[in-house]
Amino acid sequence: SRAAPAMLASPITRYGFRDAKPINFGRGASPRHLAVHGVDVSRWQGDVNWNKLRAQGANFAYIKATDGGDHLDPLFMKNWRNADAAGLKRGAYHFFYWCRTAGEQADWFIRNVPRVEGALPPVIDVEWNGDSSCKRRPSRATVLEKMQVFMDKLERHYGQRPIIYTAPDFYRDNLRGAFPDYPFWLRAVAQHPSKVYPGRKWLFWQYSGSGLSHGVRGRIDLNVFHGDERAWRAWAGGSRQMVADAD
C-alpha cells in the first residue's frame, strides 16, 4: 500500500473545465488560483472518456466504489482501471449508511477496492442518507464512534489514513471540532470553505457540482487540492501526514 515515488507523478494538467453554474467566490478565493484540479465520479456519469477529462484538467479522480454493506457501483472497476490508464491519480470512496454496522461496511469496501501501490487514500463519504431507504440520524456520539471504527479498519488494511468527505449540514450536526488529525474533503459550492467550515483545515475542496467536460455527458463534480504543485507531488507521492491550513 506504499505510494509511488513523487518523481513518478504525471505532469500537471491545467484547469480547462467549463461550469454550467459558475460562482464568484470572492477576490483571491477562486479555486482556479489553486494548481491541481480533479473530479469525482460514479455510475451516474455513465461511460467516461478519461483521456478527455485528463486533457481538460483532471489530475486526480475519486471513484465511487461502495455504499453500505452490500452495494458496489457497477462501473467502479472500469473507472478504476481507465482512470489509471489515462494518467490520473485515483482513489476510491465509500458512501456510509447509518443503518449498517461500521465493521460490515469496512469489510465490504476492503473486499471490493484493491490495495494498489500509488493509489490515493480511501475516502469515507458521510452525509445524511435522506435520498435512501435509511432515514436514521444517530446522535453525534454514535456518528463519531461508527466513523472511527470504519476508518481504523481501512487504515490498518490500506496503510493510509482515510479522508473524510462531508457536506455543510452534516458537518454542522456532527463534525465541528472532531477528527483534527484527519484530512477533510469539503463540499462548498456557494462560498469558500473558510466561510462554510470556519477553522477547519482541509485537503480537498469540492467547489462545483455543475462542471462540464468533453469527457462526460451531463455534469460532473469538480474538486481542487489545497496546495501548489510541489505540495501535491509531495502528498501524492506518499507524504500523507500533511493536513492543509484552514485558510
Side-chain angles (χ1 to χ4, degrees):
S1 60
R2 290 173 57 87
M7 68 283 294
L8 299 183
S10 300
I12 298 300
T13 303
R14 300 302 172 189
Y15 182 97
F17 295 108
R18 293 177 296 123
D19 199 325
K21 296 181 178 180
I23 297 294
N24 181 355
F25 289 99
R27 187 175 181 179
S30 171
R32 294 196 185 198
H33 293 161
L34 294 168
V36 185
H37 293 254
V39 297
D40 60 275
V41 302
S42 70
R43 64 184 296 182
W44 304 113
Q45 273 66 56
D47 190 21
V48 175
N49 186 320
W50 286 101
N51 289 315
K52 287 185 177 180
L53 270 183
R54 177 85 173 102
Q56 275 195 281
N59 295 285
F60 63 88
Y62 266 104
I63 300 166
K64 172 74 169 291
T66 49
D67 294 50
D70 57 9
H71 179 74
L72 174 66
D73 188 296
L75 293 181
F76 169 64
M77 282 309 302
K78 181 179 181 180
N79 284 330
W80 182 254
R81 289 190 299 266
N82 291 347
D84 182 59
L88 286 82
K89 294 289 286 185
R90 61 186 172 166
Y93 75 90
H94 172 84
F95 187 80
F96 200 89
Y97 268 39
W98 305 106
C99 298
R100 297 293 294 261
T101 71
E104 285 178 311
Q105 296 189 67
D107 290 343
W108 180 242
F109 184 89
I110 288 167
R111 177 178 166 183
N112 287 287
V113 177
R115 184 169 56 188
V116 177
E117 185 173 355
L120 298 178
V123 167
I124 176 175
D125 178 345
V126 283
E127 307 173 52
W128 292 128
N129 305 156
D131 294 330
S132 75
S133 59
C134 175
K135 310 298 183 187
R136 188 175 300 168
R137 291 196 174 199
S139 68
R140 171 185 160 98
T142 299
V143 163
L144 300 184
E145 180 183 9
K146 289 169 78 78
M147 287 178 63
Q148 191 71 70
V149 169
F150 180 90
M151 294 189 296
D152 285 349
K153 208 160 191 178
L154 264 61
E155 186 166 356
R156 286 194 298 270
H157 180 77
Y158 294 100
Q160 298 168 300
R161 176 150 288 188
I163 296 169
I164 299 168
Y165 169 92
T166 195
D169 60 337
F170 189 89
Y171 183 87
R172 181 186 63 243
D173 293 345
N174 300 286
L175 294 176
R176 283 187 291 196
F179 300 120
D181 297 325
Y182 282 77
F184 271 72
W185 172 12
L186 301 175
R187 178 174 175 81
V189 297
Q191 292 181 296
H192 191 271
S194 62
K195 298 184 182 300
V196 184
Y197 307 87
R200 171 60 69 180
K201 297 178 181 180
W202 55 275
L203 188 65
F204 289 111
W205 170 19
Q206 186 184 78
Y207 59 87
S208 176
S210 54
L212 300 170
S213 168
H214 300 307
V216 295
R217 288 191 295 271
R219 299 178 183 184
I220 192 168
D221 292 335
L222 302 178
N223 303 274
V224 70
F225 173 77
H226 195 182
D228 59 16
E229 185 173 335
R230 182 176 180 181
W232 165 254
R233 292 188 180 282
W235 181 81
S239 300
R240 302 300 192 197
Q241 300 308 311
M242 187 186 82
V243 179
D245 292 336
D247 60 356

